[in-house]
Amino acid sequence: MDAACSTQLIDGDGTFNVSGVDNFIKEVKLEECGLSYAVVSIMGPQSSGKSTLLNHLFGTNFREMDAFRGRSQTTKGIWIARCAGIEPCTVVMDLEGTDGRERGEDDTAFEKQSALFALAVSDIVLINMWCHDIGREQAANKPLLKTVFQVMMRLFSPRKTTLMFVIRDKTRTPLENLEPVLREDIQKIWDAVPKPQAHKETPLSDFFNVEVIALNSYEEKEELFKEQVANLRQRFFHSVAPGGLAGDRRGVVPANAFAFSAKQMWQVIKDNKDLDLPAHKVMVATVRCEEIANEKFAGFIANENWRELEEAVHSGPVSGFGKKLSSILQSCLSEYDTEATYFEEGVRSSKRQQLQEKLLQLIQPTFQDLLGHLRSGALENFKDAFEKALNAGEAFSASADVCAQSCVSKFDKGCEEAVIEQANWDTSKTREKLQRDIEAHISSVRTAKLCELTTLYESKLNAALSGPVEALLDGANDETWPAIRKLLRREGELAVYGLSDALSGFDMDEETRNKMLTDLENYARGIVETKAKEEAGRALMRMKDRFTTIFSHDSDSMPRIWTGKEDIRAITKMARSASLKLLSVMAVIRLEDELDNIEKTLTLALVNSTSNSATSKSISTIDSLASSTWEQVAPEKTLITPVQCKSLWRQFKNETEYTVTQAISAQEANRRNNNWLPPPWAILALVVLGFNEFMTLLRNPLWLGVLFVGYLVSKALWVQLNISGEFQHGALPGLLSLSTKFLPTVMNLLKKLAEEGQAPSTNTNQSSMNSSASAQSDVTTNGESSSSSSSGSSPAKSVPIDTSS
């Protein structure tokens, strides 16, 4: 049988050997035993053979007394060793003997402390007794038993320790006779020991299992002693199993907490405090479970799988996050459960819960980051899907609902994969935030789309109304406003129908829909009103353009040539009436089919007011223009007030007066140009008086050639000098102008003749013909130019006429 080295647990001065105990536990691998281990201790008088019994019984190597050197103290303090070859792992403690002379009268202090310590940590306590002390009142066993029971009373919750009385140096008296005496003495001592109120009636069997064995003398009958010890050794196999020596023990401390528990117990005992074993058990469990929990927490933080998961979540969502992290957490908690399984259940569970909460608190930010990635990813997916659906022409509300449901379902699936089994975290808030974000995006897109639709149809209305309304107002007549109303009604209905059809895909209430359609109708009306106001602001320019167009062009839209036959008064009246019509059309907005007398009022007040035969009615009409409103017309529909009309008409007349005057002057100039021939009687006198000269020409045809050349030269000079044009402004200005131009013109003609004379003789006839043709062309062209110039020239003096009619 292999012997294990013994280690001093507590020295003679009461100091706990922490490092020695730690080394001992590592050496014997006690930490791996869990609850499957037993602690045996022995107490008894000094030099009673305790160490010898333990060495033979458990194969230890405690120091034994040398009989040849005398009886003295061998064991000081408390020593510990592992029993060799006994399963489960059994640790034996050898206590210092009681009643030793070395400690003198102070031996009871350490005696009680060591006895209490042995009872607190041991499952089986061997009490070594001499056989001849049984039955004696003052023998050594009585003080020892009293000490054991008194100490036991301080253990408020006993551990149900097994007390094995070992009777040494058994005599011939049979054990059957010794055991009843011993049990009777034990019961008397138990009854006599003062007990707390809670244990007044508690029987000895509730605290102790009492066993009695007897051994022969080791010195006298060594072989028999060893045989009896060998038989006793068998009882320590599987001692903690049900039915074993310590099968009904309670409050066992796990093996990995044995050193800590023993140290704490000894400290409490030395401080002379009552030892509450359940409280101590809880304390030991608390400390050790907390240590284990801290170790597992640190191990979790250093776990590579966790670090990789945490790093991956920082970059984006991780597939299977919940399963992976749950597995890591479960592994960590399982390791805790394995190491803390033998500690007090309440403390173990509490510390496990704390460890789990601490771990969950550590990983919760990562979990929230993952939810954030899932939410943002789902939102982006929704935006993309929603945009594609809208671009594909799907209905707004239907596509919004489908895309939202799809994205929320994907988010829910992602949350299911991210859920950690050990945590009961609620993802509903993140889901609600996702739904709020989706609804906000839908609302934003709805607003943008509705704005786009409104802008689209408003732009269509602008294109359909602005140009046509402007054109209709430019050609103002009696059909202008009916045409505008018809155009507004047609285009407005088309736009409203189109918008209504486009809005059918939007899930909106009837009131909002009707408001949008009404706003579009009002916008169309506003376009017409705005364009009418713009054109009213240009009324004077439009009136002058119309007047000029009618006054300067005939019925075939050809420019007028004032030949003197035109009735300028009638033309002026017609043109002004047309301009007045334009003014009356632009004066008010007529989008409702309502009659008014604006044109009649303006005609009476502005066209007929200057007639010499004006009646009192016209006078009253003129006075009616001194107002800022029209009769039967709302002020908001008025574009040009009566007062403004009167002012515009006055300005219009002043600015068109010059055009009429110029026409009259052109007509007079044309008339003068057409009357340059002498009267008929003068022509007749010239014929009679020039008869002789005429006959002379007939007799000598050469004079005809001279006269023809003279005619050509004269005609050329007439054309070149523009004589008719020069004399248009008077005789004196004409003579002065001709005097300055005559000589340069003659020199220019001579120069041309000289150039033609230098041409080759072969081209003489051709040149002569070309010259004649050119001269004829010049005459014709310059004649027309002169006529045109005379008709377009300004008169030297204006001739006023009455043009109001």
Side-chain angles (χ1 to χ4, degrees):
M1 182 171 55
D2 299 331
C5 295
S6 59
T7 301
Q8 190 172 37
L9 180 65
I10 300 172
D11 64 14
D13 297 327
T15 302
F16 194 89
N17 185 9
V18 177
S19 59
V21 173
D22 291 340
N23 292 332
F24 169 78
I25 290 176
K26 291 179 181 178
E27 183 179 349
V28 302
K29 300 180 180 180
L30 182 63
E31 292 180 335
E32 301 175 2
C33 297
L35 296 180
S36 183
Y37 76 102
V39 179
V40 180
S41 61
I42 189 169
M43 61 178 66
Q46 180 176 303
S47 303
S48 60
K50 298 190 298 299
S51 300
T52 302
L53 175 61
L54 293 180
N55 291 339
H56 283 83
L57 182 60
F58 298 115
T60 56
N61 61 351
F62 293 119
R63 182 183 175 189
E64 300 179 7
M65 183 189 71
D66 188 354
F68 296 99
R69 298 179 61 182
R71 306 183 68 84
S72 62
Q73 187 180 46
T74 305
T75 302
K76 295 183 179 180
I78 301 176
W79 290 72
I80 188 171
R82 176 176 179 175
C83 301
I86 295 181
E87 293 297 334
C89 178
T90 301
V91 177
V92 62
M93 293 191 302
D94 187 11
L95 276 64
E96 178 181 324
T98 59
D99 196 22
R101 65 181 180 81
E102 285 78 6
R103 288 189 180 270
E105 295 181 357
D106 192 40
D107 64 339
T108 57
F110 188 81
E111 176 184 334
K112 289 182 179 181
Q113 290 174 350
S114 60
L116 179 57
F117 179 75
L119 290 174
V121 302
S122 301
D123 301 306
I124 304 169
V125 178
L126 302 178
I127 301 176
N128 208 38
M129 300 181 61
W130 297 112
C131 181
H132 55 263
D133 286 338
I134 297 175
R136 295 182 181 181
E137 188 63 29
Q138 300 298 326
N141 63 331
K142 293 288 184 71
L144 177 61
L145 289 176
K146 288 182 180 178
T147 299
V148 170
F149 291 156
Q150 286 175 357
V151 168
M152 199 67 234
M153 291 298 99
R154 297 176 61 186
L155 301 179
F156 299 137
S157 297
R159 301 176 69 246
K160 194 66 179 290
T161 308
T162 298
L163 295 180
M164 179 174 284
F165 290 88
V166 182
I167 302 173
R168 303 292 297 276
D169 296 348
K170 182 173 73 74
T171 61
R172 293 181 178 179
T173 305
L175 179 61
E176 292 79 6
N177 297 332
L178 295 175
E179 183 175 352
V181 177
L182 180 59
R183 288 182 178 276
E184 183 179 353
D185 291 342
I186 292 171
Q187 187 63 45
K188 288 181 180 179
I189 296 171
W190 173 257
D191 294 338
V193 169
K195 304 179 186 65
Q197 187 64 33
H199 297 292
K200 285 288 186 181
E201 304 299 330
T202 303
L204 177 67
S205 59
D206 286 355
F207 283 81
F208 300 104
N209 290 325
V210 179
E211 296 281 343
V212 180
I213 63 170
L215 299 176
N216 289 94
S217 172
Y218 171 70
E219 295 178 355
E220 295 178 1
K221 300 179 180 181
E222 181 177 355
E223 293 301 325
L224 182 59
F225 172 82
K226 290 181 178 180
E227 182 182 349
Q228 292 173 342
V229 168
N231 293 333
L232 177 62
R233 175 184 171 83
Q234 296 302 316
R235 298 192 61 186
F236 286 91
F237 281 89
H238 308 294
S239 58
V240 296
L245 280 177
D248 56 351
R249 62 179 179 168
R250 296 192 293 268
V252 185
V253 175
N256 57 4
F258 175 77
F260 175 78
S261 175
K263 178 183 177 183
Q264 293 297 320
M265 285 186 176
W266 180 249
Q267 187 63 42
V268 172
I269 291 169
K270 282 199 69 177
D271 293 340
N272 196 26
K273 297 179 181 177
D274 292 337
L275 183 63
D276 187 350
L277 287 181
H280 175 77
K281 180 183 177 183
V282 170
M283 183 271 294
V284 172
T286 301
V287 174
R288 279 298 298 141
C289 289
E290 188 167 348
E291 289 177 354
I292 296 170
N294 291 336
E295 291 174 3
K296 299 312 168 187
F297 183 77
F300 180 86
I301 294 177
N303 187 285
E304 285 298 326
N305 294 332
W306 155 244
R307 295 168 83 82
E308 291 176 2
L309 270 180
E310 185 181 26
E311 191 67 26
V313 169
H314 288 162
S315 303
V318 177
S319 178
F321 174 84
K323 289 184 178 179
K324 294 177 181 177
L325 192 53
S326 296
S327 176
I328 299 172
L329 282 172
Q330 186 59 41
S331 176
C332 179
L333 294 174
S334 297
E335 291 177 5
Y336 169 86
D337 292 338
T338 300
E339 295 188 26
T341 185
Y342 301 114
F343 290 102
E344 199 274 331
E345 182 178 359
V347 176
R348 182 179 74 240
S349 300
S350 175
K351 292 301 177 181
R352 187 185 193 278
Q353 183 66 26
Q354 291 178 13
L355 172 61
Q356 181 171 314
E357 291 176 358
K358 195 174 179 181
L359 290 172
L360 294 178
Q361 187 176 5
L362 173 67
I363 66 178
Q364 188 172 24
T366 304
F367 179 77
Q368 292 299 330
D369 289 345
L370 179 63
L371 290 184
H373 290 312
L374 292 174
R375 182 186 61 79
S376 58
L379 182 60
E380 290 302 320
N381 291 337
F382 167 77
K383 290 180 180 179
D384 293 340
F386 188 37
E387 183 177 1
K388 290 179 181 178
L390 292 180
N391 293 337
E394 298 182 13
F396 184 90
S397 297
S399 58
D401 292 341
V402 171
C403 293
Q405 290 177 2
S406 174
C407 291
V408 171
S409 297
K410 290 181 180 178
F411 173 79
D412 292 340
K413 185 177 180 181
C415 287
E416 289 177 3
E417 293 181 356
V419 166
I420 300 169
E421 296 177 2
Q422 292 81 2
N424 189 24
W425 289 333
D426 185 14
T427 60
S428 61
K429 291 185 178 179
T430 307
R431 188 178 191 274
E432 290 172 1
K433 189 176 188 312
L434 173 62
Q435 290 178 328
R436 289 196 301 269
D437 291 342
I438 290 176
E439 291 172 0
H441 181 71
I442 292 174
S443 177
S444 175
V445 174
R446 177 189 284 111
T447 302
K449 291 295 182 182
L450 292 178
C451 184
E452 288 179 7
L453 284 174
T454 304
T455 303
L456 173 64
Y457 283 97
E458 286 179 354
S459 63
K460 288 183 178 181
L461 285 174
N462 268 317
L465 293 176
S466 295
V469 169
E470 181 177 351
L472 288 172
L473 290 174
D474 185 34
N477 53 49
D478 291 336
E479 296 300 320
T480 296
W481 282 108
I484 291 176
R485 288 195 294 269
K486 183 178 179 181
L487 175 68
L488 175 61
R489 184 165 51 253
R490 183 181 71 249
E491 297 298 334
E493 288 176 355
L494 286 175
V496 168
Y497 177 79
L499 180 60
S500 177
D501 185 60
L503 293 178
S504 61
F506 292 83
D507 187 14
M508 59 171 57
D509 57 280
E510 194 67 21
E511 182 180 355
T512 304
R513 182 174 178 277
N514 292 337
K515 184 179 184 302
M516 290 185 66
L517 298 178
T518 303
D519 290 343
L520 187 62
E521 292 178 350
N522 294 335
Y523 181 80
R525 187 184 183 94
I527 292 174
V528 176
E529 294 177 351
T530 301
K531 184 56 66 175
K533 290 177 182 178
E534 292 177 1
E535 293 301 313
R538 296 193 289 264
L540 179 60
M541 182 184 69
R542 296 292 189 191
M543 290 168 65
K544 289 192 296 181
D545 290 344
R546 175 165 292 193
F547 176 84
T548 302
T549 300
I550 296 175
F551 186 79
S552 301
H553 296 79
D554 57 19
S555 58
D556 295 328
S557 298
M558 298 296 293
R560 293 184 188 276
I561 299 176
W562 303 106
T563 62
K565 299 177 182 179
E566 294 83 11
D567 186 356
I568 293 179
R569 184 183 299 274
I571 294 173
T572 302
K573 185 175 182 180
M574 180 178 63
R576 287 183 175 175
S577 296
S579 299
L580 187 67
K581 165 67 75 174
L582 186 145
L583 180 62
S584 66
V585 170
M586 291 188 175
V588 296
I589 297 173
R590 300 177 177 87
L591 293 180
E592 283 78 22
D593 191 7
E594 298 176 352
L595 299 177
D596 56 64
N597 57 356
I598 294 176
E599 183 179 358
K600 182 179 179 181
T601 302
L602 291 176
T603 301
L604 292 175
L606 301 177
V607 178
N608 300 332
S609 62
T610 57
S611 176
N612 293 331
S613 59
T615 62
S616 59
K617 181 179 179 181
S618 63
I619 295 173
S620 63
T621 305
I622 295 173
D623 294 338
S624 66
L625 292 182
S627 172
S628 60
T629 57
W630 297 100
E631 294 181 3
Q632 301 176 349
V633 177
E636 61 271 12
K637 296 181 181 180
T638 301
L639 298 177
I640 306 174
T641 63
V643 173
Q644 292 173 337
C645 286
K646 188 174 182 180
S647 175
L648 286 174
W649 187 256
R650 184 183 300 111
Q651 187 176 355
F652 165 75
K653 286 182 63 178
N654 290 337
E655 294 184 10
T656 58
E657 191 74 31
Y658 178 73
T659 303
V660 178
T661 304
Q662 271 206 336
I664 294 172
S665 299
Q667 200 175 50
E668 289 180 354
N670 199 358
R671 189 180 295 115
R672 285 198 302 271
N673 290 336
N674 292 333
N675 293 335
W676 61 274
L677 293 174
W681 60 269
I683 296 174
L684 181 61
L686 289 174
V687 171
V688 173
L689 294 176
F691 180 77
N692 293 332
E693 288 77 8
F694 179 70
M695 293 304 294
T696 301
L697 290 175
L698 291 177
R699 293 188 188 98
N700 192 357
L702 183 60
W703 285 103
L704 290 176
V706 173
L707 290 175
F708 180 71
V709 172
Y711 169 76
L712 291 178
V713 172
S714 300
K715 183 63 175 178
L717 288 174
W718 181 279
V719 172
Q720 291 292 329
L721 294 174
N722 192 18
I723 294 176
S724 61
E726 296 295 340
F727 281 96
Q728 185 176 0
H729 301 293
L732 181 60
L735 290 173
L736 292 174
S737 178
L738 289 175
S739 64
T740 59
K741 294 169 59 178
F742 179 75
L743 185 59
T745 303
V746 172
M747 294 301 293
N748 188 29
L749 287 175
L750 291 175
K751 183 178 180 182
K752 288 183 178 181
L753 290 173
E755 290 175 354
E756 292 178 359
Q758 294 175 1
S761 59
T762 56
N763 296 332
T764 302
N765 294 332
Q766 183 68 31
S767 299
S768 186
M769 292 175 63
N770 290 340
S771 177
S772 298
S774 176
Q776 182 65 31
S777 176
D778 290 342
V779 169
T780 304
T781 304
N782 287 305
E784 292 177 357
S785 175
S786 175
S787 175
S788 176
S789 175
S790 64
S791 65
S793 60
S794 300
K797 185 178 179 181
S798 297
V799 181
I801 63 172
D802 183 11
T803 59
S804 61
S805 60

